[in-house]
Amino acid sequence: MIKMKDLTDKEYLYGHKACPGCGMGIVGRLATKVLGEKTIIALPASCMSTVTTQYPQMNYSVPSMTMAFPGTGAVLSGMSAGLKSLGVKDVNVIGFAGDGGTADIGIQALSGAVERGDDFIYVCYDNEAYMNTGIQRSGMTPYGATTTTTPSGTASIGEKHFKKNMFEIMIAHRIPYAATACSSYTTDFMNKIEKAKNIKGPAYIHVMAPCPTGWGFPSELTVEIGKMIVECGLWYLAEYENGKVKMNLVPKTLKPVKDYLMAQKRFKHLKDEDIKAIEEHRDSEWELIRENWMK
Amino acid sequence: MSKPQIVKYKMPESQKDMPLGPSSEAGVIIEPNAGWRVMKPIIDNSKCVMCLKCWILCPDGVIDREKGTLEIDYNFCKGCGICSYECPQKAITMVKEGKQYD
């Protein structure tokens, strides 16, 4: 268990150029705080690499490598194999990829790396679209969201598909450790990073990172929106270990999704029947969760 | 200080000054982010109970706890307001940057 007083005062991610109130900023900062100085970071094309490696400014104080969009899994594999052949054992290898870089473009390399069982941590920070290039839809964009490639209007309600479930895809690989987290639940997230650090073999953490710019809410509400999405049941905190899924937080009653949706500009156009459709989808998802993981 | 400091960067004047290869030193900051800020957070240390909620939630890590009281590094604070919104004691107020008009 991580305690606040044991955390280092050293900032390994500092002075980056992310938008004010960025959820990903919290993720990158806390993850490197837990892992410490002996860490190598892999960054595919994503918000994280864009805001931290603007030459000559390098905001990570630990070694990081920027590579092509689909290569996160392959590069993590290579780093881990390189360290193994050098006989280095106390260095953590971590990759930060966005939701598009994980679920759409990078899924093949990630799947291969997990299958090979190399020792690394893969963090997918999920801001539900390609935010870095200007809010284009990705496989993780939720139903009804307006993005620049799925604009809402008279003929369309925005994104027409529900979110892909990367957590279950990773469970299907029988990965040693997989977890979902949220940037607002910092203790939970840091504990998961700590667990992933100590586990031999691949670990996958899918963390929800609210994006004020892309989702359309004031920057001070980042943490509040992150709490709302877990409380209304559109996101859950769970971890998979030793063949079992453990739910870390189960709200007693799920709050109505309307409050969460209406707090953001990307869902403002939704009518009551669309909100009902989202609520029905959420209920069916939770029925599956209760049936499969909570018995 | 446990944070990287701003260093002066000399622009390359000829090709000879350009770096060789695609790698460069880690932990180098050459400019502050202070110009982004519209609202400035100010901590009232008499109200602060050191729960460190703002310290852990700051996306930029600009709040310093090393001296026993909380201090904000205004060179890198972008004024997002998360600290002020999340503070349970309401010890952080946001004031407008620049000249104040009454």
Side-chain angles (χ1 to χ4, degrees):
Chain A
M1 286 287 276
I2 292 277
K3 281 189 188 126
M4 196 93 99
K5 65 173 191 322
D6 301 337
L7 277 176
T8 168
D9 278 338
K10 202 163 161 48
E11 300 291 344
Y12 295 107
L13 174 59
Y14 201 65
H16 58 78
K17 301 287 185 192
C19 310
C22 182
M24 176 206 76
I26 305 175
V27 171
R29 176 175 168 247
L30 295 183
T32 40
K33 249 187 198 302
V34 173
L35 293 177
E37 202 167 31
K38 292 205 165 180
T39 303
I40 308 176
I41 299 171
L43 303 167
S46 64
C47 278
M48 190 72 97
S49 72
T50 312
V51 303
T52 59
T53 55
Q54 298 182 357
Y55 183 80
Q57 199 157 275
M58 297 290 147
N59 299 97
Y60 272 115
S61 307
V62 289
S64 67
M65 182 180 167
T66 309
M67 90 295 292
F69 220 146
T72 325
V75 167
L76 286 170
S77 233
M79 284 174 172
S80 154
L83 289 172
K84 200 177 163 191
S85 69
L86 287 173
V88 181
K89 281 189 181 134
D90 55 348
V91 174
N92 308 303
V93 176
I94 186 169
F96 291 105
D99 52 291
T102 304
D104 299 349
I105 302 176
I107 194 166
Q108 176 268 125
L110 170 63
S111 180
V114 171
E115 183 202 314
R116 287 189 293 273
D118 296 307
D119 190 11
F120 63 83
I121 307 169
Y122 191 107
V123 174
C124 166
Y125 62 90
D126 185 359
N127 43 27
E128 304 198 319
Y130 290 91
M131 294 307 179
N132 165 36
T133 46
I135 320 162
Q136 289 87 9
R137 78 161 287 280
S138 78
M140 304 302 271
T141 306
Y143 178 79
T146 298
T147 65
T148 46
T149 45
T150 58
S152 64
T154 46
S156 162
I157 70 152
E159 169 66 29
K160 290 185 187 67
H161 308 283
F162 287 100
K163 223 171 142 73
K164 198 190 275 188
N165 196 329
M166 273 309 286
F167 180 55
E168 282 178 28
I169 293 176
M170 281 299 120
I171 292 178
H173 284 75
R174 303 291 175 259
I175 188 171
Y177 185 74
T180 62
C182 177
S183 67
S184 305
Y185 295 80
T186 47
T187 323
D188 175 75
F189 172 63
M190 287 188 291
N191 282 333
K192 282 168 180 170
I193 289 278
E194 176 79 13
K195 222 174 216 181
K197 180 185 170 184
N198 295 329
I199 271 173
K200 200 105 193 82
Y204 175 85
I205 298 174
H206 194 113
V207 46
M208 185 59 72
C211 169
T213 314
W215 296 13
F217 59 83
S219 62
E220 71 264 25
L221 294 181
T222 302
V223 176
E224 183 68 27
I225 293 276
K227 278 182 192 154
M228 275 161 111
I229 189 170
V230 174
E231 281 166 2
C232 77
L234 289 176
W235 190 244
Y236 52 85
L237 308 179
E239 57 188 336
Y240 169 84
E241 213 182 351
N242 305 328
K244 272 199 181 113
V245 176
K246 187 184 153 205
M247 297 298 288
N248 299 109
L249 190 136
V250 181
K252 267 184 194 145
T253 47
L254 299 174
K255 286 188 178 169
V257 296
K258 196 172 181 182
D259 302 343
Y260 164 71
L261 297 175
M262 286 305 128
Q264 302 166 53
K265 200 176 152 198
R266 60 175 180 159
F267 292 121
K268 274 268 152 66
H269 60 280
L270 290 185
K271 296 188 189 74
D272 282 343
E273 62 256 34
D274 304 327
I275 294 172
K276 219 177 147 208
I278 293 174
E279 215 148 55
E280 270 166 19
H281 181 258
R282 175 200 71 181
D283 291 343
S284 68
E285 287 285 300
W286 271 91
E287 217 163 273
L288 281 177
I289 290 174
R290 290 211 167 85
E291 209 168 282
N292 295 335
W293 299 340
M294 284 168 67
K295 265 184 187 168
Chain B
M1 203 55 177
S2 55
K3 296 162 181 167
Q5 299 291 304
I6 298 174
V7 293
K8 211 167 177 264
Y9 176 67
K10 197 172 156 275
M11 285 297 280
E13 278 164 10
S14 69
Q15 208 181 357
K16 277 181 196 160
D17 299 337
M18 299 293 274
L20 191 68
S23 57
S24 79
E25 202 184 329
V28 175
I29 304 177
I30 60 152
E31 56 181 15
N33 294 335
W36 296 29
R37 195 167 59 235
V38 180
M39 303 295 277
K40 181 180 183 175
I42 289 171
I43 298 183
D44 182 352
N45 278 320
S46 63
K47 280 189 195 167
C48 176
V49 292
M50 290 292 278
C51 69
L52 298 179
K53 216 168 176 184
C54 55
W55 179 81
I56 200 92
L57 287 172
C58 179
D60 292 82
V62 297
I63 300 174
D64 201 335
R65 65 167 182 179
E66 270 175 304
K67 283 175 192 151
T69 54
L70 297 180
E71 256 174 52
I72 297 174
D73 182 355
Y74 289 113
N75 266 347
F76 291 101
C77 172
K78 293 171 186 154
C80 66
I82 289 179
C83 51
S84 169
Y85 188 86
E86 294 296 325
C87 181
Q89 298 292 319
K90 298 275 166 274
I92 305 177
T93 43
M94 302 297 287
V95 294
K96 200 154 186 222
E97 273 285 351
K99 215 183 233 173
Q100 297 292 315
Y101 299 99
D102 292 320

